[in-house]
Structure formats: structure tokens, C-alpha cells
Amino acid sequence: MHDVSFVRHEMLSPQPAPASQVGPLRWARENLFSSILNSFLTIVSAAAVILALAHLWPWFAHSVWHAGSLRECREMIAQRWGEDATGACFAVIRDRWKQFLFGFYPSELYWRPTLSFVLLLAALAPILFSAVPRRMLWFSIAFPGIVYWLLWGGSLALPICVYAGFLVGMLVHRLVGPRFGSLLALIGGVLATLIWWFYLAGPVAGLLETILPFLTLEPVASKRFGGFMLSIVIGATGIAFSLPLGVLLALGRRSGLFIIQSICIGFIEFIRGVPLITLLLVASFLLNIFLPPGTNFDIILRVIIMVTLFSAAYMAETIRGGLAALPRGQYEAADALGLDYWQAMRLVIMPQALKISIPNIVNNFISLFKDTTLVAIIALLDPIGLVTSIRADSNWNGIVWELYGFVALIFFICCYSMSVYSKHLERRLRTDHR
Amino acid sequence: MSEPHPVDASELETVDPKLLHVSDEVAIEITGMNKWYGQFHVLRDINLTVYRGERIVIAGPSGSGKSTLIRCINRLEEHQKGKIIVDGTELSSDLKNIDKIRSEVGMVFQHFNLFPHLTILQNCTLAPIWVRKTPKKEAEETAMHFLRKVRIPEQANKFPGQLSGGQQQRVAIARSLCMRPRIMLFDEPTSALDPEMIKEVLDTMIELAEEGMTMLCVTHEMGFAQAVANRVIFMDQGQIVEQNTPYEFFNNPQSERSKLFLSQILGH
Ligand SMILES: Nc1ncnc2c1ncn2[C@@H]1O[C@H](COP(=O)(O)OP(=O)(O)O)[C@@H](O)[C@H]1O
Ligand SMILES: [Mg+2]
């Protein structure tokens, strides 16, 4: 006979788990030494890492931070550590770090890019973190105009007039909308903005300048921009504009309106089929031929446009993937509730499609940022271009690792931050099982 | 495809017939409506007049065009011939008419189609805020009112993924009701649910019927049809084959197709 009835009279108090089942010991056993083969691989890998560090270590340990030239560095290392000792000559970075940051920006004006960078962080905060008050977004919107003014100098009137173009467009859209329908309102708004920019913004800015002369900073030419400042200007602008442009292209490609669809497909396929370098060369040499003579279309602006278009094409395909992954029921539910197309896209479809695509979108951002180094090809002095020019200096001729290593390190920090942020965002937006 | 799942009518609360008032006012009028998917003639010469306050159950074998029919009513599908007039507005390709009709007609889907990135409350306030331009606070009050009605106010700040199927479907009903629709369309609202959750959804729908909502409901819940419907429409091969009161339809079906269908879902 089995005894089927049971009553517990004393409740058990919680006990700590056995020491061998928790903590670092267990981790090591499970992850490093779970089998003979794994133990062997662990030991071999550890040996390889130690060997590599042992070779690299003297190079760092013998590094020289104060010297005027590579020859001086070498002499100091030989003197201190013996004839055939190796050592890093970080003196070059100490000597040239300002150039790495600002290129040939006038040194008495360094405060302007520095302030811009601080403002960049402030403008990013409300976009990146939900804890920051939403009202800060207004600053994020004003930020590009302020930074343009700070970096290139000139009168604040110009950015103000460019922004006014958006207001003009919105006003026309409001006025046309109720009477002539949403499509005409959209076309009218865009046209009004363009007309304002091309014909009215200039004179109005001129007028404004005479009224507010104190809002004028000393102008700095684009060719003096360089270093990480240039990378960040191109990268951040490209990132900021390629996402919305990519969204529009993706929507256009799925719109079912023949002409819009064809334009979007044509654009995406063309851009994806052409190397970025080609586009940059076009921006640098060919664009001037097509533009009316005498127009001064800034080289950095041209590069930004090309980088943005290039990235937007990839972004569009990424987002299209996200859109395709959404169940049809989401579109139908939004329609059935009476949301119009743009409301459905903005409130229901895009938030979900973008969320699905976060890893790929950030992937695009990272490659865009790294691709900014390609502008060295068209003689802009981004960090890579600067390395070339520093190495051409007779003082630092022959130095390689220190410079490229430094550039790589900074790029790694930037790109890795983006990657960490994307993981954070994915976690924050996870709503299925919390 | 969903299995027919007849709930015994005795499980559901009986409805006081006095509450189920049908007026003479026309809510939906469909005349000579035809629809094709490419070459496939999916709806053939549909004629149907729905009066305000009617509860119509649409039954029929899978693929007979039931979903397509009710999806035509709020223009999720376009018809190619004939006329559909909803609340006095004729459905045409005019976007203004479509948006107007969609905000008057609520729809509940088989797979709920809640928005997973929004909380329950946000799901319910989205359309009132953006389509009706209701102030946020007022929209939230309305939403809570309807969430209380479907008996899940305590879930308001959760996300749809955290709710059971039956709860999600009740939220979907509340979400439609927040737009204060005059007509509700249901497309197999209980077919994706586990049996123990079907009743809670049907009870919600019955309450709605008692309040005089005009309802068109594609369902295989014959118990529900007997309890609340005033008319059953039987469809096959894209056509309306038979219409009758539930009592007559179930006890005395006229066409061979209805008899076969009923014997399949009721006769064991
Ligand atoms: N988007 C579509 N394209 C082509 N055929 C479709 C489409 N949707 C439904 N059908 C076909 O139309 C017929 C009716 O479908 P449906 O209205 O969903 O039937 P029911 O809801 O009665 O099961 C089916 O044969 C189905 O295969
Ligand atoms: Mg169906």
C-alpha cells in the first residue's frame, strides 16, 4: 500500500544554493572547462592573449609623450630602454591633437566647435532618452541652425530665414488644405518653401542682417574644417536626414502610386548600384559643371547631400523590411478606426516598423559614420586625411601605428556607443512580456 | 481556418426581447453589389438592407465570402459594381466619405489586431484623439468607461501582449466603442479564442446588443445567433442563399445548402 496522504507540519526556510552551483566557480566550470576539449581551447586562447599582450606591453610601457619629432622619440627610447627597444611615440598625438579635433579651424575660435559639440549632446538628449522633458525637442529642432551659425559664422539671419521657409510652407499647407484637398496642400506647401528659399530668403536675410548686425560671427571657410569635427558634422547631419528620407522612400516604394513608386525604386536602385566614392567624386568635381557659373555651393554641403542620399537608399530598404514584417491586420485596424494614411503610418505602422528595424538602422548609422573617412579622397581633411598630411611632415615622417591607432580608437568609441545605445533602446521598447 | 464551435444557447444569459428593438430607419443599404478578386467573382449580386438596431448573424461555409462582405461595408475591400450606402453616405473612392464611414462603423477582427506598441488605454484613445480630435483627458475618461464596461479597467496600463486572448478581444471591442460607432462589424470575433474565453466575449457582445447597437456578425456561434440575432443570413459561393429568423433558420431551413451546413455544424 502506498501512503497517498501527506501533511506538512513544519515549513522549510530558504537555504543558500550550494557554493559549487553559484558564483564565479560555477561560471568558469560551465563556460571555460565544461569538457576536455573546452579546457584545452581555454588554455590555448589564454596563452595566445598573454603572448599578444606581452609583445604589445613594452610598446605602451616605453611610450614617449614629450618630443618634437619622430627622431627625437626614437633617441629617447634608445637612451632609456636600450638600443633595440621598441616604443610608441604618442608625442605626435600630444603635438597634433588639436588638429585631429578641429582641422585647420582658427585656433582663437576653437570655442565655437566646442560649444557646438556640447549643444549637440543637449540636442540629442531628448531624442535619445525618454526621461528628458519633451519640451527640449524644440531645442533639438533649432539646433542645426544654431550650429551652422556657430561653425561657419556669418549672420544668424541666414539660418533664421531658412527655418522661416518651413513656416511659410506650413502656412500655405494650412491655407490650401481645407479648400483644395491634402495632395494640393502638400504640393503647395513644398513649392512655397522652395520659392521662399530660392528667391526670398536671401533678400530677407540681407535686410534682417542690417537690422541685427550684432548677430554676426566671423566667417570660417569650409576648407579650414577638418579632423573629428568634420567627421561629426558630416556623420551627424547624414544620420539625422537619412532616416526621415529613408522612411519617405520606403513609404513611396510601397505606396502603390505608379509614378511615386517608380521614382523611389529608380532612386534606391541607382544609389545602391553606385559606390559612395563615385558619388563623392561627382560632388567634388562634376557638380560645379552643372551648376550655373559663379554659384558657390559649399563643398561640405555637397558631401553631406551625397552621404545622406547614399545612406537614405540603404535606410529605405531596411525600413521596407520592417514594414513588410508587420501583419496586415495592423494596417486594417488603423484603417477601420478611421485614421488617415499619414496618421496610420505615424502612429501605428512606423513606430512598429522602426522598432523591428533598430538593429539594422543603427548598423546603417555606423557604416555611414565610418564612411565619412572616404572624404579624404576628395582632399577634405577628415582624420584619415590629417594622418596623411601629418605623415608628410618631415618631423613625423614614418610614423604609422600611433596615428591610425588613435583614429581607430576614437571611431571605435563612437560606433560602440551607438551599438550600446541601440541595445538599450531595444530593451526599452520591448512591450510583449514585461 | 476556424472550427465551428456551437455554444449551447442555455449557457448565455437570456435577453429580454423588449430590449432588442429594431427601428424602421435604414442603417446600411446594399444593392446589386458585386466584387471580384482579379478574375474570381467573390461576391455576386448582394442585396441587403439593415435597419437600425438589427443584430444580423452571417453564417456560411469557409470561403463563402462572409468576411469580404462585411469588409466591403467599411471599405477595407473595394466593390466593383452596385451600391453600398452606410448611414446615408454612399461608399465611393472619395477619401472623405471613406474616412467618415470608417469613423462611424466599428470593426472587430478575428485576430484582435490591437496595437502592440501602445498600452490598452492608448489603444483606446488613439482614434478618438486623432480622428475625432477629442481632448486627451476626455478621451481617457471615455476609454476607461468602456474598459469598465468590458470589465477590464484594471488592465488599462498594460500592453496587449500581457493579456489573454479573451481580454484582448474585449479590449478590441472597447477600442471600437470609444469611437462611438453607430454600427459594429464583427468578423469571427471568437474563432481565435480558447473555448473558456469565448463566453466572456459573447457576453460583452450581448450587452452591446441590448443597448441597441446595430450589429453585423460573422460567427459560427449558433448559441449566440439564437440568443440575440433577429436575422440569420446564410451565404454560400459569394451569394446570399437564405435569410430568416434564427428560429426558422435553425429549425426549418429551406435550401439544401443550409440544411447541409446546419447538419455539419449542429448534427453530431
Ligand atoms: N485578397 C484576396 N485575394 C484573392 N482572393 C481572396 C482574397 N481574400 C479572400 N479571397 C478569396 O475570396 C473567397 C472568400 O473569402 P472570405 O470572404 O475570406 O471567406 P469567408 O470569410 O467566408 O471564409 C475565398 O475563396 C478566398 O480564397
Ligand atoms: Mg472569414
Side-chain angles (χ1 to χ4, degrees):
Chain A
M1 266 292 292
H2 291 290
D3 191 359
V4 289
S5 72
F6 168 81
V7 178
R8 184 179 284 288
H9 293 292
E10 265 176 61
M11 303 312 281
L12 301 176
S13 50
Q15 307 272 325
S20 63
Q21 296 299 311
V22 290
L25 260 173
R26 180 191 159 102
W27 183 89
R29 218 185 40 226
E30 279 192 353
N31 293 293
L32 302 178
F33 302 103
S34 59
S35 70
I36 294 177
L37 178 66
N38 279 355
S39 309
F40 173 73
L41 289 176
T42 300
I43 291 166
V44 169
S45 327
V49 170
I50 290 169
L51 208 68
L53 282 182
H55 270 80
L56 266 179
W57 176 244
W59 192 70
F60 280 108
H62 302 169
S63 59
V64 173
W65 285 88
H66 296 266
S69 69
L70 183 59
R71 188 169 334 109
E72 218 174 295
C73 267
R74 296 224 167 108
E75 276 163 14
M76 286 164 83
I77 292 166
Q79 209 173 22
R80 250 183 258 168
W81 310 98
E83 268 314 315
D84 42 32
T86 57
C89 183
F90 291 126
V92 64
I93 289 165
R94 193 191 163 81
D95 187 39
R96 297 297 183 93
W97 68 273
K98 284 182 184 157
Q99 232 175 51
F100 265 118
L101 291 185
F102 303 114
F104 294 97
Y105 209 83
S107 56
E108 71 279 9
L109 300 178
Y110 278 170
W111 65 271
R112 276 158 50 177
T114 312
L115 178 62
S116 302
F117 187 72
V118 174
L119 291 181
L120 172 69
L121 299 183
L124 281 180
I127 299 171
L128 297 186
F129 302 106
S130 54
V132 181
R134 297 295 85 193
R135 242 171 299 134
M136 283 275 287
L137 278 172
W138 285 108
F139 175 69
S140 309
I141 292 172
F143 171 77
I146 298 174
V147 157
Y148 175 81
W149 177 59
L150 276 177
L151 291 182
W152 274 272
S155 167
L156 187 59
L158 187 64
I160 289 178
C161 287
V162 170
Y163 273 75
F166 292 113
L167 286 182
V168 168
M170 251 159 24
L171 199 71
V172 170
H173 183 269
R174 277 275 164 80
L175 288 179
V176 175
R179 253 169 280 169
F180 302 97
S182 55
L183 184 67
L184 278 182
L186 192 68
I187 296 173
V190 171
L191 269 182
T193 306
L194 291 179
I195 291 173
W196 171 270
W197 280 345
F198 283 112
Y199 297 106
L200 298 171
V204 173
L207 198 69
L208 210 61
E209 212 175 321
T210 50
I211 304 172
L212 306 166
F214 53 90
L215 285 178
T216 304
L217 289 175
E218 185 184 328
V220 178
S222 282
K223 64 175 194 290
R224 310 197 67 166
F225 282 48
F228 287 105
M229 175 185 136
L230 183 65
S231 301
I232 292 174
V233 166
I234 298 174
T237 325
I239 284 173
F241 287 101
S242 65
L243 184 59
L245 194 57
V247 167
L248 289 181
L249 283 170
L251 290 180
R253 189 165 187 170
R254 287 173 62 97
S255 70
L257 303 170
F258 179 74
I259 294 180
I260 293 183
Q261 207 172 347
S262 317
I263 293 174
C264 291
I265 294 178
F267 176 84
I268 292 170
E269 296 304 336
F270 171 74
I271 297 276
R272 287 204 306 170
V274 177
L276 178 55
I277 296 204
T278 319
L279 293 177
L280 291 177
L281 290 174
V282 168
S284 135
F285 301 121
L286 285 179
L287 229 50
N288 273 345
I289 300 175
F290 294 119
L291 291 173
T295 38
N296 175 25
F297 196 30
D298 190 90
I299 178 70
I300 294 183
L301 192 60
R302 278 182 271 163
V303 166
I304 286 177
I305 290 174
M306 285 305 182
V307 169
T308 305
L309 294 182
F310 184 78
S311 181
Y314 283 88
M315 202 64 83
E317 288 301 277
T318 298
I319 292 164
R320 193 165 68 99
L323 287 172
L326 282 193
R328 227 167 75 109
Q330 292 292 310
Y331 295 84
E332 290 176 354
D335 283 347
L337 283 170
L339 297 172
D340 66 31
Y341 176 81
W342 291 108
Q343 287 172 336
M345 289 302 140
R346 186 159 51 94
L347 302 166
V348 175
I349 304 302
M350 270 306 154
Q352 296 183 63
L354 290 178
K355 187 181 121 186
I356 300 174
S357 326
I358 289 172
N360 292 326
I361 290 175
V362 173
N363 202 11
N364 283 349
F365 285 169
I366 288 177
S367 51
L368 184 156
F369 188 56
K370 290 191 297 184
D371 282 351
T372 58
T373 51
L374 288 177
V375 300
I377 300 274
I378 55 170
L380 285 181
L381 290 173
D382 84 303
I384 299 292
L386 273 175
V387 168
T388 317
S389 88
I390 292 172
R391 291 179 63 217
D393 181 336
S394 60
N395 279 338
W396 303 109
N397 202 331
I399 204 159
V400 181
W401 287 99
E402 293 82 344
L403 291 173
Y404 284 119
F406 177 68
V407 173
L409 180 71
I410 304 279
F411 269 101
F412 175 77
I413 291 173
C414 293
C415 294
Y416 186 64
S417 320
M418 287 194 241
S419 160
V420 167
Y421 175 74
S422 101
K423 286 216 189 73
H424 159 81
L425 192 63
E426 273 178 78
R427 230 174 305 124
R428 193 179 89 199
L429 295 181
R430 188 155 49 211
T431 57
D432 23 9
H433 293 290
R434 239 199 319 217
Chain B
M1 273 282 102
S2 58
E3 281 290 299
H5 178 89
V7 166
D8 187 353
S10 58
E11 279 177 32
L12 299 167
E13 288 165 50
T14 44
V15 181
D16 183 352
K18 268 181 287 177
L19 288 172
L20 299 177
H21 172 74
V22 176
S23 81
D24 299 333
E25 193 188 335
V26 175
I28 303 171
E29 183 155 26
I30 303 176
T31 39
M33 194 261 278
N34 283 266
K35 172 168 178 62
W36 288 261
Y37 282 124
Q39 293 297 312
F40 176 48
H41 197 172
V42 51
L43 291 178
R44 309 178 195 173
D45 193 35
I46 303 285
N47 292 289
L48 177 68
T49 305
V50 180
Y51 294 95
R52 196 159 299 295
E54 274 202 290
R55 290 93 32 211
I56 295 181
V57 160
I58 302 172
S62 173
S64 56
K66 308 179 296 294
S67 302
T68 311
L69 172 60
I70 66 166
R71 290 158 61 85
C72 281
I73 294 173
N74 68 350
R75 196 72 169 191
L76 286 184
E77 302 288 353
E78 204 176 319
H79 61 281
Q80 279 82 36
K81 201 174 150 210
K83 239 187 202 178
I84 302 179
I85 300 174
V86 181
D87 255 341
T89 312
E90 182 176 350
L91 272 175
S92 59
S93 48
D94 186 349
L95 285 174
K96 270 211 184 102
N97 281 355
I98 295 176
D99 283 341
K100 176 159 176 284
I101 286 171
R102 281 176 177 166
S103 60
E104 302 291 335
V105 178
M107 178 141 187
V108 175
F109 300 86
Q110 180 176 359
H111 295 288
F112 332 136
N113 297 349
L114 294 178
F115 305 132
H117 62 300
L118 300 178
T119 64
I120 300 305
L121 188 64
Q122 288 167 336
N123 263 280
C124 292
T125 55
L126 186 79
I129 290 176
W130 292 96
V131 180
R132 290 249 190 274
K133 316 284 180 215
T134 316
K136 183 163 176 242
K137 196 138 183 288
E138 199 186 315
E140 281 176 353
E141 277 162 18
T142 314
M144 287 312 293
H145 167 76
F146 284 112
L147 286 174
R148 268 193 297 276
K149 234 174 90 148
V150 300
R151 288 190 283 277
I152 29 181
E154 68 283 357
Q155 315 281 8
N157 291 312
K158 290 196 182 164
F159 287 92
Q162 298 164 292
L163 268 54
S164 75
Q167 290 174 322
Q168 290 193 44
Q169 192 62 296
R170 283 185 283 150
V171 171
I173 294 175
R175 178 176 71 176
S176 293
L177 292 179
C178 285
M179 286 295 281
R180 309 254 183 209
R182 310 188 67 191
I183 299 166
M184 287 284 287
L185 309 174
F186 294 84
D187 189 359
E188 305 204 26
T190 55
S191 305
L193 297 178
D194 292 336
E196 73 270 19
M197 295 170 184
I198 291 180
K199 190 172 170 296
E200 64 188 48
V201 171
L202 290 183
D203 282 340
T204 308
M205 290 166 62
I206 288 173
E207 270 175 46
L208 209 55
E210 287 172 344
E211 287 166 14
M213 178 67 77
T214 310
M215 296 165 68
L216 265 85
C217 187
V218 176
T219 183
H220 291 126
E221 300 296 339
M222 292 308 146
F224 172 78
Q226 277 162 353
V228 289
N230 63 315
R231 192 150 41 128
V232 174
I233 287 178
F234 176 72
M235 286 186 71
D236 197 12
Q237 293 180 10
Q239 300 153 65
I240 296 181
V241 176
E242 187 167 344
Q243 310 193 27
N244 218 327
T245 60
Y247 184 83
E248 285 295 317
F249 179 73
F250 289 114
N251 295 309
N252 189 15
Q254 300 297 312
S255 80
E256 288 308 312
R257 291 175 187 280
S258 339
K259 284 177 195 162
L260 182 68
F261 175 74
L262 286 173
S263 72
Q264 276 165 353
I265 70 163
L266 297 175
H268 298 283

